[in-house]
Amino acid sequence: MTKFIEIKIEEIPKLAKLTSSIWHEYWTQILSPEQIDYMVEKFQSEKAILEQYKNENYTYYYINEDSQNIGYFGLSDKKDYLFLSKLYISKDYRHKGLGTKAFEKIKEIAKNKGYKSIQLTVNKYNTNTISAYDKWRFKTIDSVVTDIGSGFVMDDYIMEYKL
């Protein structure tokens, strides 16, 4: 049974452990170990997630399967759209329809908040994830290269789903 559990601010340390674990096994095909470490610290550490909660209108949810937190997603309220910042599932649970279930929940959240669209950024070389977003009817609306410091960049497509 899949559940989506909103993560309270006091649970951030537990979330940060999960994010680090997933990022270090997921991104190895695309990014260097140094960039993975840097990005986890910059975007998914306890400090970064707390900052997102306090100052960037973020909410995180566990993807819980059979009473185990096997993934998560992060959303940020923007003026004109809901930003899907993160959607990650542990390796052993991928390709089992859980991403689709999570996306259905994300659409429900967006509709309940009155949004007309969901936007996200996705690494241009993350072909499996791009295929999933294509299947879910996201459209590429732009591309962007963002300098994130320490000589690293994020080379992303911006994709949008119309509700």
Side-chain angles (χ1 to χ4, degrees), residues 33-73:
E34 295 79 18
Q35 185 166 354
I36 296 167
D37 289 343
Y38 180 78
M39 290 180 69
V40 166
E41 182 61 31
K42 185 167 181 74
F43 301 115
Q44 294 288 256
S45 65
E46 287 182 41
K47 179 181 174 190
I49 295 168
L50 182 60
E51 180 75 16
Q52 292 163 7
Y53 266 82
K54 289 184 172 180
N55 299 315
E56 299 176 39
N57 300 315
Y58 268 75
T59 308
Y60 279 88
Y61 293 80
Y62 284 123
I63 301 169
N64 184 284
E65 185 71 10
D66 298 325
S67 301
Q68 186 175 347
N69 296 327
I70 54 89
Y72 69 99
F73 58 88

Tab-separated table of all heavy atoms in Angstrom, residues 33-73:
chain	number	residue	atom	x	y	z
A	33	PRO	N	31.365	11.945	-8.670
A	33	PRO	CA	31.149	11.845	-7.213
A	33	PRO	C	31.298	13.198	-6.515
A	33	PRO	O	30.557	13.503	-5.577
A	33	PRO	CB	32.230	10.860	-6.751
A	33	PRO	CG	32.551	10.046	-7.959
A	33	PRO	CD	32.364	10.975	-9.136
A	34	GLU	N	32.217	14.028	-6.993
A	34	GLU	CA	32.427	15.349	-6.393
A	34	GLU	C	31.202	16.248	-6.579
A	34	GLU	O	30.798	16.955	-5.663
A	34	GLU	CB	33.670	16.030	-7.004
A	34	GLU	CG	34.972	15.330	-6.711
A	34	GLU	CD	35.225	14.105	-7.607
A	34	GLU	OE1	34.582	13.957	-8.676
A	34	GLU	OE2	36.075	13.278	-7.223
A	35	GLN	N	30.610	16.198	-7.777
A	35	GLN	CA	29.423	17.019	-8.010
A	35	GLN	C	28.232	16.496	-7.216
A	35	GLN	O	27.444	17.287	-6.700
A	35	GLN	CB	29.067	17.122	-9.499
A	35	GLN	CG	27.902	18.095	-9.720
A	35	GLN	CD	27.709	18.519	-11.154
A	35	GLN	OE1	28.503	18.200	-12.035
A	35	GLN	NE2	26.636	19.256	-11.407
A	36	ILE	N	28.101	15.182	-7.104
A	36	ILE	CA	27.009	14.620	-6.295
A	36	ILE	C	27.135	15.092	-4.852
A	36	ILE	O	26.166	15.595	-4.261
A	36	ILE	CB	26.989	13.082	-6.373
A	36	ILE	CG1	26.699	12.616	-7.803
A	36	ILE	CG2	25.946	12.510	-5.403
A	36	ILE	CD1	26.974	11.136	-8.043
A	37	ASP	N	28.330	14.965	-4.278
A	37	ASP	CA	28.559	15.418	-2.899
A	37	ASP	C	28.226	16.903	-2.755
A	37	ASP	O	27.563	17.313	-1.799
A	37	ASP	CB	30.014	15.193	-2.470
A	37	ASP	CG	30.356	13.732	-2.259
A	37	ASP	OD1	29.433	12.900	-2.115
A	37	ASP	OD2	31.571	13.426	-2.231
A	38	TYR	N	28.686	17.698	-3.711
A	38	TYR	CA	28.454	19.143	-3.660
A	38	TYR	C	26.959	19.461	-3.726
A	38	TYR	O	26.446	20.272	-2.952
A	38	TYR	CB	29.200	19.824	-4.819
A	38	TYR	CG	29.007	21.320	-4.849
A	38	TYR	CD1	29.704	22.153	-3.978
A	38	TYR	CD2	28.110	21.907	-5.735
A	38	TYR	CE1	29.528	23.525	-4.001
A	38	TYR	CE2	27.925	23.277	-5.763
A	38	TYR	CZ	28.631	24.084	-4.893
A	38	TYR	OH	28.437	25.445	-4.908
A	39	MET	N	26.251	18.804	-4.639
A	39	MET	CA	24.827	19.090	-4.811
A	39	MET	C	23.999	18.610	-3.623
A	39	MET	O	23.047	19.276	-3.229
A	39	MET	CB	24.318	18.499	-6.124
A	39	MET	CG	24.868	19.240	-7.337
A	39	MET	SD	24.303	18.584	-8.910
A	39	MET	CE	22.577	19.058	-8.863
A	40	VAL	N	24.360	17.462	-3.046
A	40	VAL	CA	23.653	17.001	-1.846
A	40	VAL	C	23.815	18.035	-0.738
A	40	VAL	O	22.845	18.412	-0.081
A	40	VAL	CB	24.154	15.601	-1.400
A	40	VAL	CG1	23.682	15.278	0.009
A	40	VAL	CG2	23.670	14.530	-2.368
A	41	GLU	N	25.038	18.499	-0.539
A	41	GLU	CA	25.277	19.498	0.512
A	41	GLU	C	24.529	20.799	0.220
A	41	GLU	O	23.916	21.387	1.105
A	41	GLU	CB	26.783	19.768	0.656
A	41	GLU	CG	27.120	20.758	1.750
A	41	GLU	CD	26.689	20.312	3.142
A	41	GLU	OE1	26.670	19.102	3.426
A	41	GLU	OE2	26.350	21.200	3.955
A	42	LYS	N	24.550	21.232	-1.031
A	42	LYS	CA	23.945	22.518	-1.401
A	42	LYS	C	22.417	22.485	-1.433
A	42	LYS	O	21.771	23.453	-1.062
A	42	LYS	CB	24.481	22.957	-2.761
A	42	LYS	CG	24.013	24.340	-3.184
A	42	LYS	CD	24.799	24.841	-4.365
A	42	LYS	CE	24.370	26.215	-4.797
A	42	LYS	NZ	24.792	27.283	-3.928
A	43	PHE	N	21.825	21.335	-1.847
A	43	PHE	CA	20.385	21.286	-2.070
A	43	PHE	C	19.612	20.314	-1.182
A	43	PHE	O	18.406	20.446	-1.042
A	43	PHE	CB	20.084	20.928	-3.534
A	43	PHE	CG	20.649	21.892	-4.523
A	43	PHE	CD1	21.633	21.498	-5.403
A	43	PHE	CD2	20.213	23.207	-4.566
A	43	PHE	CE1	22.170	22.392	-6.326
A	43	PHE	CE2	20.737	24.109	-5.476
A	43	PHE	CZ	21.726	23.700	-6.360
A	44	GLN	N	20.275	19.312	-0.604
A	44	GLN	CA	19.538	18.272	0.099
A	44	GLN	C	20.092	17.961	1.489
A	44	GLN	O	19.707	16.967	2.095
A	44	GLN	CB	19.497	16.986	-0.738
A	44	GLN	CG	18.704	17.134	-2.030
A	44	GLN	CD	17.212	17.226	-1.798
A	44	GLN	OE1	16.473	16.272	-2.015
A	44	GLN	NE2	16.726	18.366	-1.342
A	45	SER	N	20.983	18.784	1.995
A	45	SER	CA	21.470	18.613	3.368
A	45	SER	C	20.398	19.111	4.340
A	45	SER	O	19.440	19.787	3.944
A	45	SER	CB	22.754	19.423	3.567
A	45	SER	OG	22.471	20.818	3.444
A	46	GLU	N	20.568	18.788	5.619
A	46	GLU	CA	19.616	19.289	6.631
A	46	GLU	C	19.496	20.805	6.537
A	46	GLU	O	18.384	21.352	6.538
A	46	GLU	CB	20.087	18.909	8.039
A	46	GLU	CG	19.918	17.466	8.383
A	46	GLU	CD	20.370	17.169	9.809
A	46	GLU	OE1	20.084	17.985	10.716
A	46	GLU	OE2	21.002	16.114	10.012
A	47	LYS	N	20.634	21.488	6.463
A	47	LYS	CA	20.640	22.959	6.414
A	47	LYS	C	19.890	23.476	5.175
A	47	LYS	O	19.076	24.390	5.270
A	47	LYS	CB	22.089	23.451	6.407
A	47	LYS	CG	22.241	24.934	6.338
A	47	LYS	CD	23.711	25.337	6.303
A	47	LYS	CE	23.840	26.822	6.076
A	47	LYS	NZ	25.213	27.218	5.813
A	48	ALA	N	20.150	22.862	4.011
A	48	ALA	CA	19.510	23.315	2.767
A	48	ALA	C	18.006	23.081	2.797
A	48	ALA	O	17.223	23.952	2.406
A	48	ALA	CB	20.140	22.598	1.575
A	49	ILE	N	17.599	21.905	3.286
A	49	ILE	CA	16.166	21.593	3.331
A	49	ILE	C	15.450	22.513	4.320
A	49	ILE	O	14.356	23.016	4.030
A	49	ILE	CB	15.934	20.100	3.674
A	49	ILE	CG1	16.477	19.214	2.546
A	49	ILE	CG2	14.453	19.822	3.904
A	49	ILE	CD1	16.556	17.737	2.900
A	50	LEU	N	16.056	22.765	5.459
A	50	LEU	CA	15.464	23.684	6.440
A	50	LEU	C	15.277	25.071	5.823
A	50	LEU	O	14.227	25.699	5.987
A	50	LEU	CB	16.327	23.755	7.692
A	50	LEU	CG	15.803	24.648	8.813
A	50	LEU	CD1	14.434	24.183	9.313
A	50	LEU	CD2	16.799	24.688	9.966
A	51	GLU	N	16.280	25.533	5.091
A	51	GLU	CA	16.198	26.826	4.397
A	51	GLU	C	15.038	26.821	3.392
A	51	GLU	O	14.294	27.796	3.277
A	51	GLU	CB	17.528	27.102	3.684
A	51	GLU	CG	17.574	28.398	2.934
A	51	GLU	CD	17.709	29.613	3.829
A	51	GLU	OE1	18.061	29.479	5.017
A	51	GLU	OE2	17.440	30.726	3.335
A	52	GLN	N	14.867	25.725	2.674
A	52	GLN	CA	13.779	25.612	1.702
A	52	GLN	C	12.420	25.693	2.399
A	52	GLN	O	11.508	26.362	1.909
A	52	GLN	CB	13.908	24.301	0.918
A	52	GLN	CG	15.108	24.261	0.010
A	52	GLN	CD	15.464	22.863	-0.442
A	52	GLN	OE1	14.743	21.906	-0.188
A	52	GLN	NE2	16.599	22.739	-1.115
A	53	TYR	N	12.303	25.018	3.529
A	53	TYR	CA	11.046	25.067	4.291
A	53	TYR	C	10.761	26.491	4.764
A	53	TYR	O	9.637	26.985	4.626
A	53	TYR	CB	11.127	24.147	5.517
A	53	TYR	CG	10.586	22.756	5.316
A	53	TYR	CD1	11.355	21.768	4.719
A	53	TYR	CD2	9.304	22.413	5.726
A	53	TYR	CE1	10.872	20.487	4.551
A	53	TYR	CE2	8.806	21.131	5.557
A	53	TYR	CZ	9.592	20.178	4.970
A	53	TYR	OH	9.104	18.914	4.798
A	54	LYS	N	11.768	27.134	5.315
A	54	LYS	CA	11.558	28.444	5.950
A	54	LYS	C	11.414	29.585	4.955
A	54	LYS	O	10.654	30.520	5.210
A	54	LYS	CB	12.713	28.747	6.910
A	54	LYS	CG	12.687	27.893	8.155
A	54	LYS	CD	13.794	28.299	9.110
A	54	LYS	CE	13.653	27.580	10.434
A	54	LYS	NZ	14.716	27.975	11.368
A	55	ASN	N	12.139	29.532	3.821
A	55	ASN	CA	12.223	30.707	2.954
A	55	ASN	C	11.816	30.501	1.500
A	55	ASN	O	11.769	31.470	0.749
A	55	ASN	CB	13.658	31.258	2.972
A	55	ASN	CG	14.064	31.677	4.369
A	55	ASN	OD1	13.300	32.326	5.076
A	55	ASN	ND2	15.257	31.284	4.778
A	56	GLU	N	11.531	29.261	1.089
A	56	GLU	CA	11.262	29.022	-0.320
A	56	GLU	C	9.943	28.292	-0.566
A	56	GLU	O	9.750	27.714	-1.641
A	56	GLU	CB	12.430	28.250	-0.943
A	56	GLU	CG	13.754	29.010	-0.862
A	56	GLU	CD	14.928	28.210	-1.382
A	56	GLU	OE1	14.760	27.499	-2.403
A	56	GLU	OE2	15.998	28.267	-0.769
A	57	ASN	N	9.047	28.312	0.411
A	57	ASN	CA	7.706	27.717	0.262
A	57	ASN	C	7.733	26.237	-0.124
A	57	ASN	O	6.942	25.787	-0.951
A	57	ASN	CB	6.879	28.500	-0.762
A	57	ASN	CG	6.693	29.931	-0.365
A	57	ASN	OD1	6.395	30.223	0.785
A	57	ASN	ND2	6.892	30.835	-1.304
A	58	TYR	N	8.657	25.497	0.464
A	58	TYR	CA	8.772	24.065	0.166
A	58	TYR	C	7.951	23.222	1.117
A	58	TYR	O	7.774	23.556	2.286
A	58	TYR	CB	10.233	23.607	0.288
A	58	TYR	CG	10.998	23.671	-1.003
A	58	TYR	CD1	11.426	24.897	-1.518
A	58	TYR	CD2	11.301	22.517	-1.711
A	58	TYR	CE1	12.144	24.959	-2.696
A	58	TYR	CE2	12.016	22.577	-2.891
A	58	TYR	CZ	12.435	23.796	-3.379
A	58	TYR	OH	13.130	23.855	-4.551
A	59	THR	N	7.505	22.090	0.578
A	59	THR	CA	6.916	21.000	1.347
A	59	THR	C	7.491	19.717	0.771
A	59	THR	O	7.590	19.571	-0.447
A	59	THR	CB	5.382	20.979	1.210
A	59	THR	OG1	4.859	22.260	1.508
A	59	THR	CG2	4.775	19.960	2.153
A	60	TYR	N	7.882	18.818	1.649
A	60	TYR	CA	8.380	17.511	1.223
A	60	TYR	C	7.422	16.425	1.689
A	60	TYR	O	6.763	16.565	2.724
A	60	TYR	CB	9.767	17.228	1.814
A	60	TYR	CG	10.905	17.873	1.072
A	60	TYR	CD1	11.323	19.161	1.368
A	60	TYR	CD2	11.574	17.175	0.068
A	60	TYR	CE1	12.380	19.743	0.697
A	60	TYR	CE2	12.634	17.751	-0.615
A	60	TYR	CZ	13.043	19.032	-0.297
A	60	TYR	OH	14.080	19.609	-0.973
A	61	TYR	N	7.393	15.334	0.927
A	61	TYR	CA	6.558	14.178	1.244
A	61	TYR	C	7.391	12.908	1.089
A	61	TYR	O	8.150	12.774	0.123
A	61	TYR	CB	5.379	14.065	0.262
A	61	TYR	CG	4.378	15.168	0.366
A	61	TYR	CD1	4.614	16.394	-0.234
A	61	TYR	CD2	3.186	14.990	1.064
A	61	TYR	CE1	3.684	17.425	-0.150
A	61	TYR	CE2	2.251	16.018	1.153
A	61	TYR	CZ	2.516	17.229	0.549
A	61	TYR	OH	1.600	18.254	0.632
A	62	TYR	N	7.200	11.987	2.028
A	62	TYR	CA	7.755	10.652	1.846
A	62	TYR	C	6.861	9.869	0.906
A	62	TYR	O	5.628	10.002	0.949
A	62	TYR	CB	7.801	9.870	3.167
A	62	TYR	CG	8.909	10.285	4.101
A	62	TYR	CD1	8.615	10.706	5.389
A	62	TYR	CD2	10.247	10.220	3.705
A	62	TYR	CE1	9.623	11.080	6.255
A	62	TYR	CE2	11.258	10.594	4.577
A	62	TYR	CZ	10.944	11.016	5.849
A	62	TYR	OH	11.942	11.380	6.706
A	63	ILE	N	7.478	9.040	0.083
A	63	ILE	CA	6.772	7.996	-0.640
A	63	ILE	C	6.969	6.758	0.222
A	63	ILE	O	8.093	6.295	0.413
A	63	ILE	CB	7.338	7.799	-2.057
A	63	ILE	CG1	7.245	9.112	-2.849
A	63	ILE	CG2	6.592	6.660	-2.772
A	63	ILE	CD1	8.016	9.097	-4.159
A	64	ASN	N	5.877	6.270	0.782
A	64	ASN	CA	5.939	5.199	1.767
A	64	ASN	C	5.252	3.967	1.191
A	64	ASN	O	4.092	4.020	0.811
A	64	ASN	CB	5.259	5.674	3.063
A	64	ASN	CG	5.355	4.674	4.167
A	64	ASN	OD1	4.643	3.675	4.164
A	64	ASN	ND2	6.218	4.952	5.143
A	65	GLU	N	5.996	2.888	1.119
A	65	GLU	CA	5.486	1.632	0.582
A	65	GLU	C	5.616	0.567	1.662
A	65	GLU	O	6.725	0.308	2.155
A	65	GLU	CB	6.274	1.235	-0.670
A	65	GLU	CG	5.770	0.024	-1.374
A	65	GLU	CD	4.442	0.222	-2.094
A	65	GLU	OE1	3.955	1.359	-2.223
A	65	GLU	OE2	3.882	-0.781	-2.534
A	66	ASP	N	4.485	-0.020	2.046
A	66	ASP	CA	4.480	-1.064	3.076
A	66	ASP	C	5.205	-0.608	4.346
A	66	ASP	O	6.075	-1.303	4.868
A	66	ASP	CB	5.089	-2.368	2.536
A	66	ASP	CG	4.292	-2.915	1.369
A	66	ASP	OD1	3.051	-2.779	1.379
A	66	ASP	OD2	4.903	-3.454	0.426
A	67	SER	N	4.870	0.593	4.798
A	67	SER	CA	5.387	1.190	6.036
A	67	SER	C	6.875	1.524	5.988
A	67	SER	O	7.502	1.726	7.026
A	67	SER	CB	5.100	0.293	7.241
A	67	SER	OG	3.709	0.098	7.364
A	68	GLN	N	7.442	1.615	4.792
A	68	GLN	CA	8.855	1.977	4.653
A	68	GLN	C	8.973	3.195	3.745
A	68	GLN	O	8.369	3.236	2.671
A	68	GLN	CB	9.626	0.795	4.058
A	68	GLN	CG	11.099	1.010	4.003
A	68	GLN	CD	11.832	-0.240	3.512
A	68	GLN	OE1	11.277	-1.321	3.434
A	68	GLN	NE2	13.092	-0.079	3.171
A	69	ASN	N	9.758	4.196	4.155
A	69	ASN	CA	9.992	5.381	3.331
A	69	ASN	C	11.005	5.015	2.253
A	69	ASN	O	12.193	4.849	2.527
A	69	ASN	CB	10.487	6.543	4.176
A	69	ASN	CG	9.454	6.986	5.179
A	69	ASN	OD1	8.253	6.917	4.914
A	69	ASN	ND2	9.890	7.432	6.349
A	70	ILE	N	10.521	4.897	1.017
A	70	ILE	CA	11.354	4.414	-0.077
A	70	ILE	C	11.649	5.511	-1.111
A	70	ILE	O	12.308	5.254	-2.120
A	70	ILE	CB	10.708	3.191	-0.756
A	70	ILE	CG1	9.254	3.457	-1.222
A	70	ILE	CG2	10.704	2.008	0.194
A	70	ILE	CD1	9.139	4.009	-2.586
A	71	GLY	N	11.196	6.709	-0.843
A	71	GLY	CA	11.435	7.819	-1.746
A	71	GLY	C	10.822	9.080	-1.182
A	71	GLY	O	10.314	9.088	-0.054
A	72	TYR	N	10.889	10.137	-1.981
A	72	TYR	CA	10.350	11.419	-1.528
A	72	TYR	C	10.119	12.327	-2.725
A	72	TYR	O	10.651	12.092	-3.808
A	72	TYR	CB	11.311	12.077	-0.536
A	72	TYR	CG	12.610	12.549	-1.151
A	72	TYR	CD1	12.793	13.879	-1.500
A	72	TYR	CD2	13.650	11.659	-1.413
A	72	TYR	CE1	13.966	14.316	-2.082
A	72	TYR	CE2	14.827	12.085	-1.986
A	72	TYR	CZ	14.979	13.416	-2.322
A	72	TYR	OH	16.151	13.845	-2.914
A	73	PHE	N	9.307	13.351	-2.497
A	73	PHE	CA	9.220	14.437	-3.468
A	73	PHE	C	9.126	15.754	-2.725
A	73	PHE	O	8.686	15.815	-1.587
A	73	PHE	CB	8.089	14.262	-4.491
A	73	PHE	CG	6.689	14.130	-3.959
A	73	PHE	CD1	5.912	15.256	-3.715
A	73	PHE	CD2	6.128	12.875	-3.751
A	73	PHE	CE1	4.605	15.137	-3.265
A	73	PHE	CE2	4.826	12.743	-3.302
A	73	PHE	CZ	4.062	13.876	-3.047
